[in-house]
Amino acid sequence: RSVNIVAFGNERDGFSEDNQQPSLIWSYLRRSALISRIDSSLSASHVGNPVFTEYQACVFGNVRLVVHDCPVWDIFNSDWYTSRSLIGGADVIVIKYSVNDKTSFQELKDSYVPMIKKALNHCSVPVIISAIGARKNGVSCTCPLCTSDRRSCVTTSEGVQLAKELGATYLELHTLNDFYVQKYFGGVLEYFMIQTLNQKSSEKMKKRKKMQKCHRVQPPQLEQPEKMPILKGEASHYNADLHNLLCCCQCADVAFYPEDLSTVVEAHKIILCSVSHLFMLLFEVKSPADIHDASIVRTAQSLFMVEAGATSALAPRSIPPCVPPVRVVVKDSIFCSCLPDILHFIYSGAFQWERLEEDIKKKLKDPEKTEHVLEKVNCILKTPGKLNTVKDCRSHQMKQLYNTSLRLFFNTPVLADVIFKIQGATVPAHRAVLVARCEVMAAMFNGNYLEANSVLVPVYGVSKDTFLSFLEYLYTDSCCPASILQAMSLLICAEMYQVMRLQHICELYIITQLQSMPSRELASTSLSIVSLLKKAK
């Protein structure tokens, strides 16, 4: 068993006359009670100085300790292969600098830390940063030879910031005496050495068990019953939620009528506009100049007529949420008879063109009328400037209707009919989406609650950023937390509104991040284990 330590940097003040002071690594090896049989050898010289010194010793009785002490940073410039090999084989990395040599520290920070990051390449190697020496706060010399900032000190905050960049443990050693070297520095170093040995033993045991398993006689492979997936989260029901919205007709804000006003079919402007530029034009979300497609404008004018007095896309805050739906007359009677099937096709989310075609054929029983209606549907779903034919629809060139199209209306006042007030800011939203995707909000907006008849709804107990992330999930069915802390906040919000799938996504993200995060990176974050435990409960 062995432990490899690589130390970089010079702990001596480059402008001090006391250059006989022993190095940190040598002081530790000489003083530690755990070290025995120390051997040292110098490497090939580079410009008169040794590139690194190699020490070999025994630690913890029978563990071989190999230390490469590199006081000259030039090894990165002169021999990148050697320096990269040293870092690649290291179990612990020690970076040293003098608190009274600002120039060397700045060179370390600007030039060599990026190289160390590159050489580490996301490896979970513990790093110790040692700031050595007592800061000299005396008045600096004013002669011309001392006008640079060589005598200025490296502050504690600068050292801590450097440690955060590398995910390292930061130590300040005011002098190289028994306490600082043996107990303070030595205690941290020995902790990481023990962790390294435990990890190597665990890997060795796993490898041995794997080898033993490979040599065993394997039983015949019988067909196994299906098992439930472990911690994969709940399946998405995004499309089903929006389809159910059409079935229950909650929060409908548009009503389609035939010219004789004999029947009515209700729908939601936000869903229709999310899949169709024609409906955006119809409900004044876009103007003809924005569409740039004359065929869409002609189809909208020939197929629909919005009754006078309809509200605009940007509704004022004074309009109550109980306003009657916008009345739209469908001029084409054949198309109007198939409108329920067309809306079910749109709200289903998945592009099931064959099913729509079959339903219309059964209803009309006339190939020419069927083709006429399908051409109208194709024009409604058409992307401006693109030539989409019924043949393209049959060949599945259009896969989904609103994969991410509702994202266009997330956190915008366009078609919004509710405004959340949170932390002094306002967030516009659409009741239809909220009711479809969240049962708590469905009860809130359709029950005997104050929110059911209010445009402005206050939100308490969560931050604005967390609530926006929650709304983004409702609109897009996707969730990408930026950190464990953000996922924790989003988990609490999802629990408050009883959105189970979002809870599972946040739990899975937190568990995965904690399991994959190297210990040195975890130590550098502001996570509180006690807070984590409380939230887990």
Short mmCIF file of all heavy atoms in Angstrom, two decimals, residues 422-469:
data_model
loop_
_atom_site.label_atom_id
_atom_site.label_comp_id
_atom_site.label_asym_id
_atom_site.label_seq_id
_atom_site.Cartn_x
_atom_site.Cartn_y
_atom_site.Cartn_z
N ILE A 422 -45.35 38.50 -5.67
CA ILE A 422 -44.41 37.78 -4.82
C ILE A 422 -43.17 38.62 -4.61
O ILE A 422 -42.56 39.09 -5.58
CB ILE A 422 -44.08 36.39 -5.44
CG1 ILE A 422 -43.09 35.63 -4.59
CG2 ILE A 422 -43.60 36.51 -6.87
CD1 ILE A 422 -42.94 34.18 -5.00
N GLN A 423 -42.81 38.85 -3.36
CA GLN A 423 -41.62 39.63 -2.98
C GLN A 423 -41.59 41.00 -3.67
O GLN A 423 -40.55 41.44 -4.15
CB GLN A 423 -40.34 38.85 -3.29
CG GLN A 423 -40.14 37.63 -2.41
CD GLN A 423 -38.81 36.94 -2.66
OE1 GLN A 423 -38.26 37.00 -3.76
NE2 GLN A 423 -38.28 36.29 -1.63
N GLY A 424 -42.74 41.65 -3.76
CA GLY A 424 -42.81 42.98 -4.35
C GLY A 424 -42.81 43.00 -5.86
O GLY A 424 -42.92 44.07 -6.46
N ALA A 425 -42.70 41.84 -6.51
CA ALA A 425 -42.71 41.77 -7.97
C ALA A 425 -43.99 41.09 -8.45
O ALA A 425 -44.70 40.46 -7.67
CB ALA A 425 -41.48 41.01 -8.47
N THR A 426 -44.28 41.22 -9.74
CA THR A 426 -45.46 40.58 -10.31
C THR A 426 -45.04 39.56 -11.37
O THR A 426 -44.08 39.80 -12.13
CB THR A 426 -46.40 41.62 -10.95
OG1 THR A 426 -45.67 42.39 -11.92
CG2 THR A 426 -46.97 42.55 -9.89
N VAL A 427 -45.77 38.44 -11.43
CA VAL A 427 -45.50 37.37 -12.39
C VAL A 427 -46.80 37.03 -13.10
O VAL A 427 -47.73 36.52 -12.46
CB VAL A 427 -44.93 36.12 -11.69
CG1 VAL A 427 -44.70 35.01 -12.71
CG2 VAL A 427 -43.64 36.45 -10.95
N PRO A 428 -46.93 37.33 -14.40
CA PRO A 428 -48.16 36.99 -15.13
C PRO A 428 -48.24 35.49 -15.43
O PRO A 428 -47.21 34.83 -15.61
CB PRO A 428 -48.04 37.81 -16.41
CG PRO A 428 -46.58 37.98 -16.63
CD PRO A 428 -45.95 38.02 -15.26
N ALA A 429 -49.46 34.97 -15.50
CA ALA A 429 -49.64 33.54 -15.80
C ALA A 429 -51.01 33.33 -16.44
O ALA A 429 -51.78 34.27 -16.64
CB ALA A 429 -49.49 32.71 -14.53
N HIS A 430 -51.31 32.07 -16.75
CA HIS A 430 -52.53 31.71 -17.47
C HIS A 430 -53.25 30.62 -16.67
O HIS A 430 -52.69 29.54 -16.44
CB HIS A 430 -52.19 31.21 -18.87
CG HIS A 430 -51.34 32.18 -19.65
ND1 HIS A 430 -49.96 32.23 -19.48
CD2 HIS A 430 -51.67 33.13 -20.57
CE1 HIS A 430 -49.48 33.18 -20.28
NE2 HIS A 430 -50.49 33.73 -20.94
N ARG A 431 -54.49 30.91 -16.26
CA ARG A 431 -55.23 30.00 -15.41
C ARG A 431 -55.39 28.61 -16.04
O ARG A 431 -55.36 27.60 -15.35
CB ARG A 431 -56.62 30.58 -15.10
CG ARG A 431 -56.58 31.77 -14.18
CD ARG A 431 -57.94 32.45 -14.08
NE ARG A 431 -57.83 33.66 -13.29
CZ ARG A 431 -58.18 33.76 -12.01
NH1 ARG A 431 -58.68 32.72 -11.38
NH2 ARG A 431 -58.04 34.89 -11.36
N ALA A 432 -55.59 28.56 -17.35
CA ALA A 432 -55.82 27.28 -18.01
C ALA A 432 -54.64 26.34 -17.80
O ALA A 432 -54.82 25.15 -17.49
CB ALA A 432 -56.06 27.51 -19.51
N VAL A 433 -53.42 26.84 -17.96
CA VAL A 433 -52.23 26.01 -17.77
C VAL A 433 -52.10 25.59 -16.30
O VAL A 433 -51.81 24.43 -16.00
CB VAL A 433 -50.96 26.76 -18.23
CG1 VAL A 433 -49.72 25.91 -18.00
CG2 VAL A 433 -51.07 27.13 -19.70
N LEU A 434 -52.31 26.53 -15.39
CA LEU A 434 -52.16 26.25 -13.96
C LEU A 434 -53.19 25.21 -13.51
O LEU A 434 -52.85 24.28 -12.77
CB LEU A 434 -52.31 27.53 -13.15
CG LEU A 434 -51.40 28.71 -13.54
CD1 LEU A 434 -51.71 29.91 -12.67
CD2 LEU A 434 -49.93 28.32 -13.41
N VAL A 435 -54.43 25.37 -13.94
CA VAL A 435 -55.49 24.43 -13.54
C VAL A 435 -55.23 23.04 -14.11
O VAL A 435 -55.47 22.03 -13.45
CB VAL A 435 -56.86 24.98 -14.01
CG1 VAL A 435 -57.94 23.92 -13.94
CG2 VAL A 435 -57.25 26.19 -13.19
N ALA A 436 -54.74 22.98 -15.36
CA ALA A 436 -54.48 21.69 -15.98
C ALA A 436 -53.33 20.95 -15.32
O ALA A 436 -53.37 19.72 -15.18
CB ALA A 436 -54.17 21.89 -17.47
N ARG A 437 -52.33 21.67 -14.87
CA ARG A 437 -51.09 21.02 -14.43
C ARG A 437 -50.98 20.88 -12.91
O ARG A 437 -50.11 20.15 -12.44
CB ARG A 437 -49.90 21.84 -14.94
CG ARG A 437 -49.81 21.94 -16.45
CD ARG A 437 -49.23 20.70 -17.06
NE ARG A 437 -47.80 20.65 -16.76
CZ ARG A 437 -47.16 19.56 -16.39
NH1 ARG A 437 -47.81 18.43 -16.21
NH2 ARG A 437 -45.87 19.60 -16.15
N CYS A 438 -51.83 21.56 -12.14
CA CYS A 438 -51.67 21.55 -10.68
C CYS A 438 -53.05 21.46 -10.02
O CYS A 438 -53.88 22.36 -10.17
CB CYS A 438 -50.93 22.82 -10.23
SG CYS A 438 -50.77 22.99 -8.45
N GLU A 439 -53.29 20.37 -9.30
CA GLU A 439 -54.60 20.15 -8.68
C GLU A 439 -54.89 21.18 -7.60
O GLU A 439 -56.06 21.57 -7.41
CB GLU A 439 -54.67 18.74 -8.11
CG GLU A 439 -54.67 17.64 -9.17
CD GLU A 439 -54.78 16.26 -8.57
OE1 GLU A 439 -54.93 16.17 -7.33
OE2 GLU A 439 -54.73 15.27 -9.33
N VAL A 440 -53.88 21.60 -6.86
CA VAL A 440 -54.09 22.60 -5.82
C VAL A 440 -54.56 23.92 -6.44
O VAL A 440 -55.50 24.56 -5.95
CB VAL A 440 -52.80 22.81 -5.00
CG1 VAL A 440 -52.94 24.01 -4.06
CG2 VAL A 440 -52.46 21.56 -4.21
N MET A 441 -53.92 24.33 -7.55
CA MET A 441 -54.35 25.57 -8.22
C MET A 441 -55.71 25.39 -8.89
O MET A 441 -56.50 26.34 -8.98
CB MET A 441 -53.30 26.00 -9.24
CG MET A 441 -52.03 26.53 -8.59
SD MET A 441 -51.00 27.43 -9.74
CE MET A 441 -49.73 28.05 -8.64
N ALA A 442 -56.03 24.18 -9.35
CA ALA A 442 -57.35 23.93 -9.93
C ALA A 442 -58.44 24.15 -8.88
O ALA A 442 -59.48 24.77 -9.15
CB ALA A 442 -57.42 22.51 -10.48
N ALA A 443 -58.19 23.66 -7.66
CA ALA A 443 -59.14 23.88 -6.57
C ALA A 443 -59.19 25.34 -6.16
O ALA A 443 -60.26 25.89 -5.87
CB ALA A 443 -58.75 23.01 -5.38
N MET A 444 -58.04 25.99 -6.19
CA MET A 444 -57.95 27.39 -5.76
C MET A 444 -58.71 28.31 -6.71
O MET A 444 -59.41 29.23 -6.28
CB MET A 444 -56.47 27.80 -5.70
CG MET A 444 -56.21 29.18 -5.17
SD MET A 444 -54.44 29.45 -4.91
CE MET A 444 -53.86 29.59 -6.60
N PHE A 445 -58.60 28.06 -8.03
CA PHE A 445 -59.22 28.96 -9.01
C PHE A 445 -60.66 28.58 -9.35
O PHE A 445 -61.37 29.34 -10.00
CB PHE A 445 -58.39 28.99 -10.29
CG PHE A 445 -57.09 29.73 -10.14
CD1 PHE A 445 -55.87 29.13 -10.47
CD2 PHE A 445 -57.06 31.04 -9.68
CE1 PHE A 445 -54.68 29.81 -10.33
CE2 PHE A 445 -55.87 31.73 -9.55
CZ PHE A 445 -54.68 31.11 -9.87
N ASN A 446 -61.12 27.40 -8.96
CA ASN A 446 -62.46 26.98 -9.30
C ASN A 446 -63.35 26.75 -8.08
O ASN A 446 -64.52 26.41 -8.22
CB ASN A 446 -62.42 25.69 -10.13
CG ASN A 446 -61.84 25.92 -11.51
OD1 ASN A 446 -62.41 26.61 -12.33
ND2 ASN A 446 -60.68 25.33 -11.76
N GLY A 447 -62.81 26.90 -6.87
CA GLY A 447 -63.58 26.68 -5.66
C GLY A 447 -64.07 27.97 -5.05
O GLY A 447 -64.04 29.05 -5.67
N ASN A 448 -64.54 27.88 -3.82
CA ASN A 448 -65.05 29.06 -3.11
C ASN A 448 -63.92 29.76 -2.36
O ASN A 448 -63.95 29.93 -1.15
CB ASN A 448 -66.16 28.63 -2.13
CG ASN A 448 -67.36 28.07 -2.85
OD1 ASN A 448 -67.73 28.58 -3.91
ND2 ASN A 448 -67.94 27.02 -2.30
N TYR A 449 -62.91 30.14 -3.13
CA TYR A 449 -61.76 30.83 -2.55
C TYR A 449 -61.67 32.24 -3.12
O TYR A 449 -62.20 32.53 -4.20
CB TYR A 449 -60.46 30.06 -2.84
CG TYR A 449 -60.41 28.69 -2.22
CD1 TYR A 449 -60.70 27.55 -2.97
CD2 TYR A 449 -60.06 28.53 -0.88
CE1 TYR A 449 -60.64 26.30 -2.41
CE2 TYR A 449 -60.02 27.27 -0.30
CZ TYR A 449 -60.31 26.16 -1.07
OH TYR A 449 -60.25 24.92 -0.50
N LEU A 450 -60.96 33.10 -2.39
CA LEU A 450 -60.80 34.48 -2.82
C LEU A 450 -60.10 34.56 -4.18
O LEU A 450 -60.40 35.42 -5.00
CB LEU A 450 -60.00 35.24 -1.75
CG LEU A 450 -59.84 36.75 -1.94
CD1 LEU A 450 -61.21 37.43 -1.88
CD2 LEU A 450 -58.91 37.34 -0.89
N GLU A 451 -59.13 33.64 -4.42
CA GLU A 451 -58.36 33.67 -5.67
C GLU A 451 -59.23 33.41 -6.90
O GLU A 451 -58.89 33.82 -8.01
CB GLU A 451 -57.24 32.62 -5.62
CG GLU A 451 -56.14 32.91 -4.62
CD GLU A 451 -56.48 32.42 -3.22
OE1 GLU A 451 -57.61 31.92 -3.02
OE2 GLU A 451 -55.62 32.53 -2.34
N ALA A 452 -60.38 32.72 -6.71
CA ALA A 452 -61.22 32.37 -7.86
C ALA A 452 -61.77 33.61 -8.54
O ALA A 452 -62.04 33.60 -9.76
CB ALA A 452 -62.36 31.46 -7.40
N ASN A 453 -61.94 34.71 -7.80
CA ASN A 453 -62.51 35.94 -8.37
C ASN A 453 -61.52 37.10 -8.33
O ASN A 453 -61.93 38.25 -8.38
CB ASN A 453 -63.78 36.31 -7.61
CG ASN A 453 -64.85 35.26 -7.74
OD1 ASN A 453 -65.15 34.81 -8.85
ND2 ASN A 453 -65.42 34.83 -6.62
N SER A 454 -60.23 36.80 -8.24
CA SER A 454 -59.21 37.85 -8.17
C SER A 454 -58.24 37.71 -9.33
O SER A 454 -57.91 36.60 -9.75
CB SER A 454 -58.43 37.77 -6.85
OG SER A 454 -59.30 37.90 -5.75
N VAL A 455 -57.82 38.85 -9.84
CA VAL A 455 -56.76 38.84 -10.86
C VAL A 455 -55.39 38.83 -10.18
O VAL A 455 -54.48 38.12 -10.61
CB VAL A 455 -56.90 40.08 -11.78
CG1 VAL A 455 -55.71 40.17 -12.73
CG2 VAL A 455 -58.19 40.02 -12.56
N LEU A 456 -55.22 39.58 -9.10
CA LEU A 456 -53.95 39.67 -8.38
C LEU A 456 -53.95 38.68 -7.23
O LEU A 456 -54.78 38.77 -6.32
CB LEU A 456 -53.74 41.09 -7.87
CG LEU A 456 -52.31 41.48 -7.47
CD1 LEU A 456 -51.38 41.42 -8.66
CD2 LEU A 456 -52.29 42.88 -6.86
N VAL A 457 -53.03 37.72 -7.27
CA VAL A 457 -52.98 36.65 -6.27
C VAL A 457 -51.63 36.72 -5.55
O VAL A 457 -50.58 36.53 -6.18
CB VAL A 457 -53.15 35.26 -6.92
CG1 VAL A 457 -53.02 34.16 -5.89
CG2 VAL A 457 -54.49 35.18 -7.63
N PRO A 458 -51.61 36.99 -4.23
CA PRO A 458 -50.34 37.01 -3.50
C PRO A 458 -49.81 35.60 -3.24
O PRO A 458 -50.59 34.66 -3.07
CB PRO A 458 -50.70 37.72 -2.18
CG PRO A 458 -52.16 37.45 -2.00
CD PRO A 458 -52.76 37.34 -3.37
N VAL A 459 -48.50 35.47 -3.22
CA VAL A 459 -47.84 34.18 -2.94
C VAL A 459 -46.88 34.38 -1.79
O VAL A 459 -46.07 35.32 -1.79
CB VAL A 459 -47.08 33.66 -4.18
CG1 VAL A 459 -46.34 32.37 -3.86
CG2 VAL A 459 -48.04 33.44 -5.34
N TYR A 460 -46.95 33.49 -0.80
CA TYR A 460 -46.09 33.58 0.38
C TYR A 460 -45.32 32.28 0.56
O TYR A 460 -45.72 31.22 0.09
CB TYR A 460 -46.93 33.86 1.63
CG TYR A 460 -47.85 35.06 1.53
CD1 TYR A 460 -49.22 34.91 1.30
CD2 TYR A 460 -47.34 36.35 1.63
CE1 TYR A 460 -50.06 36.00 1.20
CE2 TYR A 460 -48.18 37.46 1.52
CZ TYR A 460 -49.54 37.28 1.30
OH TYR A 460 -50.35 38.36 1.19
N GLY A 461 -44.21 32.38 1.27
CA GLY A 461 -43.47 31.18 1.67
C GLY A 461 -42.41 30.71 0.71
O GLY A 461 -41.65 29.79 1.03
N VAL A 462 -42.31 31.30 -0.50
CA VAL A 462 -41.27 30.93 -1.46
C VAL A 462 -40.71 32.21 -2.07
O VAL A 462 -41.36 33.25 -2.09
CB VAL A 462 -41.79 29.99 -2.57
CG1 VAL A 462 -42.20 28.65 -2.02
CG2 VAL A 462 -42.96 30.64 -3.32
N SER A 463 -39.50 32.11 -2.63
CA SER A 463 -38.89 33.26 -3.29
C SER A 463 -39.42 33.38 -4.71
O SER A 463 -40.00 32.44 -5.27
CB SER A 463 -37.37 33.11 -3.32
OG SER A 463 -37.00 32.03 -4.16
N LYS A 464 -39.17 34.54 -5.32
CA LYS A 464 -39.62 34.76 -6.70
C LYS A 464 -38.94 33.80 -7.66
O LYS A 464 -39.60 33.21 -8.54
CB LYS A 464 -39.32 36.21 -7.12
CG LYS A 464 -39.75 36.52 -8.55
CD LYS A 464 -39.24 37.86 -9.01
CE LYS A 464 -39.52 38.06 -10.49
NZ LYS A 464 -38.93 39.31 -11.02
N ASP A 465 -37.63 33.59 -7.51
CA ASP A 465 -36.89 32.70 -8.42
C ASP A 465 -37.40 31.27 -8.32
O ASP A 465 -37.54 30.57 -9.33
CB ASP A 465 -35.40 32.75 -8.11
CG ASP A 465 -34.78 34.08 -8.49
OD1 ASP A 465 -35.37 34.80 -9.31
OD2 ASP A 465 -33.71 34.43 -7.94
N THR A 466 -37.68 30.82 -7.08
CA THR A 466 -38.19 29.46 -6.90
C THR A 466 -39.57 29.31 -7.52
O THR A 466 -39.86 28.31 -8.19
CB THR A 466 -38.25 29.11 -5.40
OG1 THR A 466 -36.94 29.22 -4.84
CG2 THR A 466 -38.78 27.71 -5.18
N PHE A 467 -40.43 30.31 -7.32
CA PHE A 467 -41.78 30.23 -7.89
C PHE A 467 -41.74 30.28 -9.41
O PHE A 467 -42.53 29.59 -10.08
CB PHE A 467 -42.63 31.39 -7.34
CG PHE A 467 -44.10 31.24 -7.64
CD1 PHE A 467 -44.86 30.27 -7.00
CD2 PHE A 467 -44.72 32.07 -8.56
CE1 PHE A 467 -46.21 30.12 -7.29
CE2 PHE A 467 -46.08 31.95 -8.84
CZ PHE A 467 -46.83 30.97 -8.20
N LEU A 468 -40.82 31.06 -9.99
CA LEU A 468 -40.67 31.08 -11.45
C LEU A 468 -40.23 29.72 -11.97
O LEU A 468 -40.70 29.26 -13.01
CB LEU A 468 -39.67 32.17 -11.86
CG LEU A 468 -40.21 33.60 -11.92
CD1 LEU A 468 -39.07 34.58 -12.16
CD2 LEU A 468 -41.26 33.75 -13.02
N SER A 469 -39.30 29.06 -11.25
CA SER A 469 -38.88 27.71 -11.65
C SER A 469 -40.04 26.74 -11.58
O SER A 469 -40.18 25.85 -12.43
CB SER A 469 -37.73 27.23 -10.75
OG SER A 469 -36.61 28.07 -10.86
#
